[in-house]
Amino acid sequence: MNTEFRLYRHLPRHDSTAPSAVTIGNFDGVHRGHQAILAQVREQAAALGLVPTVMTFAPHPRAFFARKGQRPELIPTQISSLRDKTVLLTEHGMRQIVIQRFDQRLADMGAEDFIRELLVRGLNTRWLLVGEDFRYGHKRSGDIDLLRRMGREHGFEVRTLADVGDDQGQRISSSALRTALAVGNLERSGELLGAPYRIGGHVIHGRKLGRDLGFPTLNLRVPAPCAARSGIYVVRVHGLDERPLPGVASLGVRPTVTRDGALLLETHILDRRVDAYGKLVCVEFLEFLRDEEYFPDLTSLTAAIRQDAQGARDYFASHGL
């Protein structure tokens, strides 16, 4: 698959005036509902000779308003890091990705200015797909009718897409996905995503404690606040070999060994030594084993890790890699 794309943090684009087929949203997780939207954008772009484009926001608008109102409990958990989201969007055919900074200027921007500045001047939009309840502009004053009126004026077509349901008719949404991940229900998250939940990134240096205990780990930063439940997981690791490697991972703050509270994903590759520092890897979550625990000493921690590793081996013996 061609995965070449252009990433923009400012509009108008500095290097292109090419006409675009555009969709707008947060796209956290890029679940099957998002994938249905992206498929339509991709197909219409190909049919009309346009560049398939997605505009997303950083931070999430709800996070911006929660911080402004000093209500941190209202900040939505993150399913995907910005990097993982970008990778997923390109995998689903997007060739332009706009990461629009959501700040006070954007929050104050009028609905008509939103259309003129971002869609018309910013992306030369000729075809636009949004959800039926899409709102935009200052105090969410813009609606679909205004988009259609200004589309006729500026030469772009507006299409809307109803919610996408799962096999039981339930709406596929980022909220439903966050709920599944929060309780460690990887079967449900897999249904919503169409694939296992994953976290990717470059391997960073840790404290090397796992190596001293006989269980070396490769460490990844994770999006914060992370949607996935803290705990121990059976995982599969891509990027270190031609085939994925089996592993067991801890997602959490490591209460036994540190008090700094920093969230980290530590993955132990089963029965294999791998030099992974600095490499780009992707960790797929396959099964939740147990919650993160505090242990009174390193001997108890080591025994628990040994048991977790055996649990992962048992999983792969039963399910395969």
Side-chain angles (χ1 to χ4, degrees):
M1 176 186 288
N2 175 21
T3 56
E4 290 184 8
F5 70 99
R6 291 181 177 181
L7 180 70
Y8 299 98
R9 293 183 179 270
H10 303 282
L11 291 177
R13 296 164 292 174
H14 60 87
D15 60 350
S16 176
T17 58
S20 307
V22 180
T23 188
I24 306 171
N26 289 297
F27 290 93
D28 195 12
V30 192
H31 54 62
R32 285 171 50 208
H34 296 142
Q35 292 164 29
I37 294 171
L38 299 173
Q40 285 203 31
V41 174
R42 191 172 64 242
E43 290 161 10
Q44 286 297 314
L48 300 172
L50 306 175
V51 185
T53 303
V54 62
M55 181 189 298
T56 188
F57 303 98
H60 193 299
R62 281 167 49 198
F64 171 81
F65 288 114
R67 291 189 183 102
K68 183 181 177 184
Q70 298 184 325
R71 297 287 303 279
E73 71 277 9
L74 298 180
I75 297 174
T77 57
Q78 276 188 260
I79 300 165
S80 300
S81 67
L82 206 52
R83 188 197 169 280
D84 281 347
K85 179 162 66 172
T86 300
V87 169
L88 288 163
L89 290 169
T90 62
E91 287 180 359
H92 288 280
M94 297 300 101
R95 295 295 164 258
Q96 289 181 146
I97 299 173
V98 179
I99 301 174
Q100 181 63 49
R101 179 169 177 76
F102 198 95
D103 53 15
Q104 195 61 53
R105 174 183 172 274
L106 191 63
D108 290 340
M109 185 181 289
E112 292 191 5
D113 288 338
F114 181 96
I115 296 168
R116 289 192 192 98
E117 285 193 30
L118 302 183
L119 295 180
V120 179
R121 288 197 290 270
L123 286 167
N124 191 8
T125 300
R126 299 292 173 83
W127 189 91
L128 175 68
L129 178 66
V130 292
E132 292 178 335
D133 59 352
F134 177 64
R135 308 290 294 209
Y136 54 95
H138 183 54
K139 295 187 176 178
R140 296 167 53 85
S141 58
D143 59 12
I144 302 298
D145 286 343
L146 178 60
L147 272 176
R148 289 202 165 107
R149 287 202 308 274
M150 293 193 68
R152 287 190 291 269
E153 179 185 340
H154 292 284
F156 64 87
E157 180 182 357
V158 178
R159 295 281 184 88
T160 60
L161 184 70
D163 291 338
V164 176
D166 62 14
D167 296 339
Q168 290 76 44
Q170 294 180 301
R171 178 175 179 258
I172 296 174
S173 67
S174 294
S175 295
L177 180 52
R178 288 188 186 99
T179 298
L181 291 170
V183 298
N185 187 345
L186 295 181
E187 182 178 356
R188 178 60 176 158
S189 68
E191 290 172 357
L192 295 168
L193 288 165
Y197 175 63
R198 70 196 206 190
I199 292 176
H202 288 93
V203 177
I204 61 173
H205 280 302
R207 297 178 61 180
K208 308 293 192 295
L209 179 63
R211 184 175 62 187
D212 294 341
L213 299 178
F215 294 93
T217 61
L218 54 92
N219 305 314
L220 297 181
R221 295 187 179 92
V222 297
C226 186
R229 178 179 182 176
S230 290
I232 313 302
Y233 292 86
V234 179
V235 300
R236 186 165 52 204
V237 181
H238 299 262
L240 298 175
D241 195 83
E242 291 180 1
R243 300 180 64 230
L245 299 177
V248 60
S250 169
L251 174 65
V253 296
R254 299 156 294 151
T256 304
V257 298
T258 183
R259 299 293 176 86
D260 66 9
L263 196 63
L264 195 68
L265 178 63
E266 300 175 293
T267 303
H268 171 66
I269 305 294
L270 294 175
D271 307 315
R272 182 166 172 175
R273 292 277 176 152
V274 179
D275 179 17
Y277 175 67
K279 293 183 178 176
L280 184 60
V281 302
C282 173
V283 179
E284 285 185 322
F285 290 58
L286 303 178
E287 185 167 90
F288 181 82
L289 289 176
R290 64 172 176 85
D291 283 318
E292 184 176 41
E293 294 180 52
Y294 169 78
F295 293 97
D297 51 57
L298 293 182
T299 301
S300 304
L301 173 63
T302 305
I305 297 172
R306 187 173 293 111
Q307 187 171 350
D308 296 333
Q310 188 56 50
R313 289 190 191 92
D314 293 344
Y315 173 92
F316 288 112
S318 174
H319 295 82
L321 188 57

